[in-house]
Coordinates of all heavy atoms in Angstrom, one line a residue:
M246 N 1.4 9.0 25.3 CA 1.0 8.4 24.1 C 1.8 7.1 23.9 O 1.9 6.5 22.9 CB 1.1 9.3 22.9 CG 0.3 10.6 23.0 SD -1.4 10.4 23.3 CE -2.0 9.7 21.8
E247 N 2.4 6.6 25.0 CA 3.2 5.4 25.0 C 2.3 4.2 24.5 O 1.1 4.1 24.9 CB 3.7 5.1 26.4 CG 4.7 3.9 26.4 CD 5.3 3.7 27.8 OE1 5.5 4.7 28.5 OE2 5.4 2.5 28.2
G248 N 2.9 3.4 23.6 CA 2.1 2.3 23.1 C 1.5 2.5 21.8 O 1.0 1.5 21.2
F249 N 1.4 3.7 21.3 CA 0.9 4.0 20.0 C 2.0 4.0 19.0 O 3.1 4.6 19.2 CB 0.2 5.4 20.0 CG -1.1 5.4 20.7 CD1 -1.2 5.7 22.0 CD2 -2.3 5.0 20.0 CE1 -2.5 5.7 22.7 CE2 -3.5 5.0 20.6 CZ -3.6 5.3 22.0
A250 N 1.8 3.3 17.9 CA 2.8 3.2 16.8 C 3.1 4.6 16.2 O 4.2 4.9 15.8 CB 2.4 2.2 15.8
V251 N 2.1 5.4 16.1 CA 2.2 6.7 15.4 C 1.5 7.8 16.3 O 0.4 7.5 16.7 CB 1.6 6.7 14.0 CG1 1.6 8.1 13.4 CG2 2.3 5.7 13.1
V252 N 2.2 8.9 16.5 CA 1.5 10.0 17.2 C 1.7 11.2 16.3 O 2.9 11.5 15.9 CB 2.2 10.2 18.6 CG1 1.6 11.5 19.3 CG2 2.0 9.0 19.5
V253 N 0.7 11.9 16.0 CA 0.7 13.1 15.2 C 0.2 14.3 16.0 O -0.8 14.1 16.7 CB -0.1 12.9 13.9 CG1 0.0 14.1 13.0 CG2 0.3 11.7 13.2
R254 N 0.9 15.4 16.0 CA 0.5 16.5 16.7 C 0.0 17.6 15.8 O 0.6 17.8 14.7 CB 1.7 17.1 17.5 CG 2.1 16.1 18.7 CD 3.3 16.6 19.4 NE 3.6 15.7 20.5 CZ 4.3 14.6 20.4 NH1 4.7 14.2 19.3 NH2 4.5 13.8 21.5
F255 N -1.0 18.3 16.2 CA -1.6 19.3 15.4 C -1.8 20.6 16.2 O -2.4 20.5 17.3 CB -3.0 18.9 14.8 CG -3.0 17.7 14.0 CD1 -3.4 16.5 14.5 CD2 -2.6 17.8 12.6 CE1 -3.3 15.4 13.7 CE2 -2.5 16.6 11.9 CZ -2.9 15.4 12.4
P256 N -1.3 21.7 15.8 CA -1.6 23.0 16.5 C -3.0 23.4 16.2 O -3.5 23.2 15.1 CB -0.6 24.0 15.9 CG -0.3 23.5 14.5 CD -0.4 22.0 14.6
V257 N -3.7 23.9 17.2 CA -5.0 24.5 17.0 C -4.8 25.9 16.5 O -4.1 26.7 17.1 CB -5.8 24.5 18.3 CG1 -7.1 25.2 18.1 CG2 -6.0 23.0 18.7
L258 N -5.3 26.2 15.3 CA -5.2 27.5 14.7 C -6.4 28.4 14.9 O -7.5 27.8 15.2 CB -4.9 27.4 13.2 CG -3.8 26.5 12.8 CD1 -3.7 26.3 11.3 CD2 -2.5 27.0 13.3
G259 N -6.3 29.7 14.8 CA -7.5 30.5 15.0 C -8.6 30.2 14.1 O -9.8 30.3 14.4
G260 N -8.3 29.8 12.8 CA -9.3 29.5 11.8 C -10.0 28.2 12.1 O -11.0 27.9 11.4
D261 N -9.5 27.4 13.1 CA -10.2 26.1 13.4 C -11.4 26.4 14.3 O -12.2 25.5 14.5 CB -9.2 25.2 14.2 CG -8.0 24.8 13.4 OD1 -8.1 24.8 12.1 OD2 -7.0 24.5 14.0
M262 N -11.5 27.6 14.9 CA -12.5 27.9 15.9 C -13.9 28.2 15.2 O -13.9 28.7 14.1 CB -12.1 29.1 16.7 CG -10.7 29.0 17.2 SD -10.3 27.5 18.1 CE -11.2 27.8 19.6
D263 N -14.9 27.9 15.9 CA -16.3 28.3 15.5 C -16.7 29.5 16.2 O -16.0 30.0 17.1 CB -17.3 27.1 15.6 CG -17.5 26.6 17.0 OD1 -17.1 27.4 18.0 OD2 -18.0 25.5 17.2
S264 N -17.9 29.9 16.0 CA -18.4 31.2 16.6 C -18.6 31.0 18.1 O -18.7 32.0 18.8 CB -19.7 31.6 16.0 OG -20.7 30.6 16.2
L265 N -18.6 29.8 18.7 CA -18.7 29.6 20.1 C -17.3 29.6 20.8 O -17.3 29.4 22.0 CB -19.5 28.3 20.4 CG -20.9 28.4 19.9 CD1 -21.6 27.0 20.1 CD2 -21.7 29.5 20.5
G266 N -16.2 29.7 20.0 CA -14.9 29.7 20.6 C -14.2 28.4 20.8 O -13.2 28.3 21.6
H267 N -14.7 27.3 20.2 CA -14.0 26.1 20.3 C -13.9 25.5 18.9 O -14.5 26.0 17.9 CB -14.7 25.1 21.3 CG -16.2 25.0 21.2 ND1 -16.8 24.4 20.1 CD2 -17.1 25.4 22.0 CE1 -18.1 24.4 20.3 NE2 -18.3 25.0 21.4
V268 N -13.0 24.5 18.8 CA -12.7 23.9 17.5 C -14.0 23.4 16.8 O -14.8 22.7 17.4 CB -11.7 22.7 17.6 CG1 -11.5 22.0 16.3 CG2 -10.3 23.3 18.1
N269 N -14.2 23.7 15.6 CA -15.3 23.3 14.8 C -15.3 21.8 14.6 O -14.2 21.2 14.4 CB -15.3 24.0 13.4 CG -16.5 23.6 12.6 OD1 -16.5 22.5 12.0 ND2 -17.5 24.5 12.5
N270 N -16.4 21.1 14.7 CA -16.5 19.7 14.7 C -15.9 19.1 13.4 O -15.3 18.0 13.4 CB -17.9 19.2 15.0 CG -18.9 19.6 13.9 OD1 -18.7 20.6 13.3 ND2 -19.9 18.8 13.7
A271 N -16.0 19.8 12.3 CA -15.5 19.2 11.1 C -13.9 19.2 11.1 O -13.3 18.3 10.4 CB -15.9 20.1 9.9
R272 N -13.3 20.1 11.8 CA -11.8 20.1 11.9 C -11.3 18.8 12.4 O -10.2 18.3 12.0 CB -11.4 21.3 12.7 CG -9.9 21.5 12.7 CD -9.4 21.9 11.3 NE -8.0 22.2 11.3 CZ -7.2 21.8 10.4 NH1 -7.6 21.1 9.4 NH2 -5.9 22.1 10.5
Y273 N -12.0 18.2 13.4 CA -11.5 16.9 14.0 C -11.3 15.9 12.9 O -10.4 15.1 12.9 CB -12.5 16.4 15.0 CG -12.5 17.2 16.3 CD1 -13.3 18.3 16.4 CD2 -11.7 16.9 17.4 CE1 -13.4 19.1 17.6 CE2 -11.7 17.7 18.5 CZ -12.6 18.8 18.6 OH -12.6 19.5 19.8
F274 N -12.2 15.8 11.9 CA -12.2 14.8 10.9 C -11.0 15.1 9.9 O -10.4 14.1 9.4 CB -13.5 14.7 10.2 CG -14.6 14.1 11.0 CD1 -15.4 14.9 11.8 CD2 -14.7 12.7 11.1 CE1 -16.3 14.3 12.7 CE2 -15.6 12.1 12.0 CZ -16.5 12.9 12.7
T275 N -10.6 16.3 9.8 CA -9.4 16.6 9.0 C -8.2 16.1 9.7 O -7.3 15.5 9.1 CB -9.3 18.2 8.8 OG1 -10.5 18.6 8.1 CG2 -8.1 18.5 7.9
W276 N -8.1 16.3 11.0 CA -7.0 15.8 11.8 C -7.0 14.2 11.8 O -6.0 13.6 11.6 CB -7.1 16.2 13.3 CG -6.9 17.7 13.5 CD1 -6.1 18.5 12.7 CD2 -7.4 18.5 14.6 NE1 -6.2 19.8 13.3 CE2 -6.9 19.8 14.4 CE3 -8.3 18.2 15.6 CZ2 -7.2 20.8 15.3 CZ3 -8.6 19.2 16.5 CH2 -8.1 20.5 16.3
F277 N -8.2 13.6 11.9 CA -8.3 12.1 11.8 C -7.7 11.6 10.5 O -6.9 10.7 10.4 CB -9.7 11.6 11.9 CG -10.4 12.0 13.2 CD1 -11.8 11.9 13.3 CD2 -9.7 12.3 14.3 CE1 -12.5 12.2 14.4 CE2 -10.4 12.6 15.5 CZ -11.8 12.5 15.6
E278 N -8.0 12.3 9.4 CA -7.6 11.8 8.1 C -6.1 12.0 7.9 O -5.4 11.1 7.4 CB -8.3 12.6 6.9 CG -7.9 12.2 5.6 CD -8.2 10.8 5.2 OE1 -8.9 10.1 5.9 OE2 -7.6 10.3 4.2
S279 N -5.5 13.1 8.4 CA -4.1 13.3 8.4 C -3.4 12.3 9.2 O -2.3 11.7 8.8 CB -3.7 14.7 8.9 OG -4.3 15.7 8.0
A280 N -3.9 12.0 10.4 CA -3.3 10.9 11.2 C -3.4 9.6 10.6 O -2.4 8.8 10.7 CB -3.9 10.9 12.6
R281 N -4.5 9.3 9.9 CA -4.7 8.0 9.2 C -3.6 7.8 8.1 O -3.0 6.8 8.0 CB -6.1 7.9 8.7 CG -6.4 6.6 8.0 CD -7.9 6.5 7.6 NE -8.1 7.2 6.4 CZ -8.0 6.7 5.1 NH1 -7.8 5.4 5.0 NH2 -8.3 7.4 4.1
I282 N -3.4 8.9 7.4 CA -2.4 8.8 6.3 C -1.0 8.6 6.9 O -0.2 7.8 6.4 CB -2.4 10.1 5.5 CG1 -3.7 10.3 4.7 CG2 -1.2 10.2 4.5 CD1 -4.0 9.2 3.8
E283 N -0.6 9.2 8.0 CA 0.7 9.0 8.7 C 0.8 7.6 9.2 O 1.8 6.9 9.1 CB 0.9 10.0 9.8 CG 1.1 11.4 9.4 CD 2.3 11.5 8.4 OE1 3.4 10.9 8.7 OE2 2.2 12.2 7.4
Y284 N -0.3 7.0 9.7 CA -0.3 5.6 10.1 C -0.1 4.7 8.9 O 0.7 3.7 9.0 CB -1.6 5.3 10.8 CG -1.7 3.9 11.3 CD1 -0.9 3.4 12.4 CD2 -2.6 3.0 10.8 CE1 -1.0 2.1 12.8 CE2 -2.7 1.7 11.2 CZ -1.8 1.3 12.3 OH -1.9 0.0 12.7
L285 N -0.8 4.9 7.8 CA -0.6 4.1 6.6 C 0.9 4.2 6.1 O 1.5 3.1 5.7 CB -1.5 4.5 5.5 CG -3.0 4.2 5.8 CD1 -3.9 4.8 4.7 CD2 -3.3 2.7 6.0
R286 N 1.5 5.3 6.1 CA 2.9 5.5 5.8 C 3.8 4.7 6.7 O 4.7 4.1 6.2 CB 3.2 7.0 5.8 CG 2.7 7.7 4.6 CD 3.1 9.2 4.6 NE 2.6 9.9 3.5 CZ 2.5 11.2 3.4 NH1 2.9 12.0 4.4 NH2 2.0 11.8 2.3
A287 N 3.5 4.7 8.0 CA 4.3 4.0 8.9 C 4.2 2.5 8.7 O 5.2 1.8 8.9 CB 3.9 4.3 10.4
L288 N 3.1 2.0 8.1 CA 3.0 0.6 7.8 C 3.6 0.3 6.4 O 3.7 -0.9 6.0 CB 1.5 0.3 7.7 CG 0.7 0.3 9.0 CD1 -0.8 0.0 8.7 CD2 1.3 -0.7 10.0
G289 N 4.1 1.3 5.7 CA 4.7 1.1 4.4 C 3.7 1.0 3.3 O 4.1 0.6 2.2
L290 N 2.5 1.5 3.5 CA 1.5 1.4 2.4 C 1.5 2.7 1.6 O 1.8 3.8 2.1 CB 0.1 1.3 3.0 CG -0.1 0.0 3.8 CD1 -1.5 -0.1 4.4 CD2 0.0 -1.2 2.8
E291 N 1.3 2.6 0.3 CA 1.3 3.7 -0.6 C 0.1 4.6 -0.3 O -1.1 4.2 -0.1 CB 1.1 3.3 -2.0 CG 1.1 4.4 -3.1 CD 2.4 5.2 -3.1 OE1 3.5 4.6 -3.0 OE2 2.3 6.4 -3.2
T292 N 0.4 5.9 -0.1 CA -0.7 6.9 0.2 C -0.9 8.0 -0.8 O -1.8 8.8 -0.7 CB -0.4 7.6 1.6 OG1 0.8 8.3 1.5 CG2 -0.4 6.5 2.7
E293 N -0.1 7.9 -1.9 CA -0.2 9.0 -2.9 C -0.6 8.3 -4.2 O -0.4 7.2 -4.5 CB 1.1 9.7 -3.0 CG 1.4 10.5 -1.8 CD 2.7 11.3 -1.9 OE1 3.1 11.6 -3.0 OE2 3.3 11.6 -0.8
G294 N -1.3 9.1 -5.1 CA -1.7 8.6 -6.4 C -2.9 7.8 -6.2 O -3.7 7.9 -5.3
A295 N -3.1 6.8 -7.1 CA -4.3 5.9 -7.1 C -3.8 4.5 -7.1 O -3.7 3.9 -8.1 CB -5.2 6.2 -8.3
P296 N -3.4 4.0 -5.9 CA -2.9 2.6 -5.9 C -4.0 1.6 -6.3 O -5.2 1.9 -6.2 CB -2.6 2.3 -4.4 CG -3.2 3.4 -3.7 CD -3.4 4.6 -4.6
E297 N -3.6 0.5 -6.9 CA -4.6 -0.5 -7.4 C -5.5 -1.0 -6.3 O -6.7 -1.3 -6.5 CB -3.8 -1.7 -8.0 CG -4.7 -2.7 -8.7 CD -3.9 -3.8 -9.4 OE1 -2.7 -3.6 -9.7 OE2 -4.5 -4.8 -9.6
Y298 N -5.0 -1.2 -5.1 CA -5.8 -1.6 -4.0 C -5.2 -1.1 -2.7 O -4.1 -0.6 -2.6 CB -5.8 -3.2 -3.9 CG -4.4 -3.8 -3.7 CD1 -3.9 -4.0 -2.4 CD2 -3.7 -4.1 -4.8 CE1 -2.6 -4.5 -2.3 CE2 -2.4 -4.7 -4.7 CZ -1.9 -4.9 -3.4 OH -0.6 -5.4 -3.2
G299 N -6.0 -1.1 -1.6 CA -5.5 -0.6 -0.3 C -6.7 -0.5 0.6 O -7.8 -0.8 0.3
P300 N -6.4 0.0 1.8 CA -7.5 0.1 2.8 C -8.5 1.2 2.5 O -8.1 2.2 1.8 CB -6.8 0.4 4.1 CG -5.5 1.1 3.7 CD -5.2 0.4 2.3
I301 N -9.7 1.0 2.9 CA -10.7 2.1 2.7 C -11.3 2.5 4.1 O -11.1 1.7 5.0 CB -11.9 1.6 1.8 CG1 -12.6 0.4 2.5 CG2 -11.4 1.2 0.4 CD1 -14.0 0.2 1.9
L302 N -11.8 3.6 4.1 CA -12.5 4.1 5.3 C -14.0 3.9 5.1 O -14.6 4.7 4.4 CB -12.1 5.5 5.6 CG -12.7 6.1 6.9 CD1 -12.2 5.4 8.1 CD2 -12.2 7.6 7.0
A303 N -14.6 2.9 5.7 CA -16.0 2.7 5.4 C -16.9 3.5 6.3 O -18.1 3.7 6.0 CB -16.3 1.2 5.6
H304 N -16.5 3.8 7.5 CA -17.3 4.6 8.4 C -16.4 5.3 9.4 O -15.4 4.9 9.8 CB -18.2 3.6 9.2 CG -19.0 4.3 10.3 ND1 -20.2 4.9 10.0 CD2 -18.8 4.4 11.6 CE1 -20.7 5.4 11.1 NE2 -19.9 5.1 12.1
T305 N -16.9 6.5 9.8 CA -16.2 7.2 10.9 C -17.3 8.0 11.7 O -18.3 8.4 11.2 CB -15.2 8.2 10.3 OG1 -14.4 8.8 11.3 CG2 -15.8 9.3 9.4
S306 N -16.9 8.2 13.0 CA -17.8 8.9 13.8 C -17.0 9.5 15.0 O -15.8 9.1 15.2 CB -18.9 8.1 14.4 OG -18.4 7.1 15.3
C307 N -17.5 10.4 15.7 CA -16.8 11.0 16.8 C -17.7 11.3 18.0 O -18.7 12.0 17.7 CB -16.0 12.2 16.3 SG -15.0 13.0 17.6
D308 N -17.4 10.9 19.2 CA -18.1 11.3 20.3 C -17.2 12.4 21.0 O -16.1 12.1 21.5 CB -18.4 10.2 21.3 CG -19.3 9.2 20.7 OD1 -20.3 9.6 20.0 OD2 -19.1 8.0 20.9
F309 N -17.7 13.6 21.1 CA -17.0 14.7 21.7 C -17.1 14.7 23.2 O -18.2 14.7 23.7 CB -17.4 16.0 21.1 CG -17.3 16.1 19.6 CD1 -18.3 15.8 18.7 CD2 -16.0 16.5 19.0 CE1 -18.1 15.8 17.4 CE2 -15.9 16.5 17.7 CZ -16.9 16.2 16.8
L310 N -16.0 14.7 23.9 CA -16.0 14.6 25.4 C -15.8 15.9 26.0 O -16.3 16.2 27.1 CB -14.9 13.6 25.8 CG -15.0 12.2 25.3 CD1 -13.9 11.4 25.8 CD2 -16.4 11.6 25.7
A311 N -15.1 16.8 25.3 CA -14.8 18.2 25.9 C -14.4 19.1 24.8 O -13.8 18.6 23.8 CB -13.7 18.1 27.0
P312 N -14.7 20.4 24.8 CA -14.3 21.3 23.8 C -12.8 21.5 23.8 O -12.1 21.4 24.8 CB -15.0 22.5 24.1 CG -15.3 22.5 25.5 CD -15.4 21.1 25.9
V313 N -12.2 21.8 22.6 CA -10.8 22.2 22.5 C -10.9 23.6 22.1 O -11.6 24.0 21.2 CB -10.1 21.4 21.4 CG1 -8.7 21.9 21.2 CG2 -10.0 19.9 21.8
T314 N -10.1 24.5 22.8 CA -10.1 25.9 22.5 C -8.6 26.3 22.2 O -7.7 25.6 22.5 CB -10.6 26.7 23.7 OG1 -9.8 26.4 24.8 CG2 -12.0 26.4 24.0
W315 N -8.5 27.5 21.5 CA -7.2 28.1 21.2 C -6.7 28.8 22.4 O -7.5 29.4 23.1 CB -7.4 29.0 20.0 CG -6.1 29.6 19.5 CD1 -5.3 29.1 18.6 CD2 -5.6 30.9 19.9 NE1 -4.2 30.0 18.4 CE2 -4.4 31.1 19.2 CE3 -6.0 31.9 20.8 CZ2 -3.6 32.2 19.4 CZ3 -5.3 33.0 21.0 CH2 -4.1 33.1 20.3
P316 N -5.4 28.8 22.6 CA -4.3 28.1 22.0 C -4.2 26.7 22.5 O -4.5 26.5 23.7 CB -3.1 28.9 22.3 CG -3.4 29.5 23.6 CD -4.9 29.7 23.7
A317 N -3.9 25.7 21.7 CA -3.7 24.4 22.1 C -3.0 23.6 21.1 O -2.7 24.1 19.9 CB -5.1 23.7 22.4
E318 N -2.6 22.4 21.4 CA -2.0 21.4 20.5 C -2.7 20.1 20.8 O -2.8 19.7 22.0 CB -0.5 21.3 20.7 CG 0.2 20.4 19.7 CD 1.7 20.4 19.8 OE1 2.2 19.7 20.7 OE2 2.3 21.1 19.0
V319 N -3.1 19.4 19.8 CA -3.8 18.1 20.0 C -2.9 17.0 19.5 O -2.1 17.2 18.5 CB -5.2 18.0 19.4 CG1 -6.1 19.0 20.1 CG2 -5.1 18.3 17.9
E320 N -3.0 15.8 20.1 CA -2.3 14.6 19.6 C -3.3 13.6 19.2 O -4.3 13.4 19.9 CB -1.4 14.0 20.7 CG -0.3 14.9 21.2 CD 0.6 14.3 22.2 OE1 0.1 13.6 23.1 OE2 1.8 14.4 22.1

């Protein structure tokens, strides 16, 4: 992960799995949001409360390349 300003690691939990045995697609977006908050903090931007102004997330999407299964850790 060399070259990235912020790297966040998430353990894959049993509750992250769907009935097919891989991480549910909605879980990825929870990880994305947590990583986005850590990135904003690293930039020194306020991430708590209701700041007067700040960045917004106007669009998000994900192209899944391979399933993630338990046990695992994602970065």
Side-chain angles (χ1 to χ4, degrees):
M246 301 306 291
E247 187 177 322
F249 285 92
V251 175
V252 176
V253 183
R254 291 177 178 81
F255 302 99
V257 174
L258 306 174
D261 297 335
M262 311 310 286
D263 63 17
S264 61
L265 298 176
H267 46 71
V268 172
N269 182 283
N270 62 333
R272 186 67 173 136
Y273 290 88
F274 290 92
T275 303
W276 291 333
F277 297 163
E278 181 62 14
S279 296
R281 185 175 77 92
I282 295 299
E283 289 303 315
Y284 180 68
L285 294 175
R286 287 181 177 160
L288 294 175
L290 298 175
E291 180 63 42
T292 59
E293 296 182 21
E297 185 176 339
Y298 59 88
I301 63 164
L302 181 61
H304 176 83
T305 187
S306 66
C307 182
D308 292 324
F309 300 95
L310 302 178
V313 175
T314 58
W315 181 88
E318 183 177 82
V319 296
E320 298 183 317

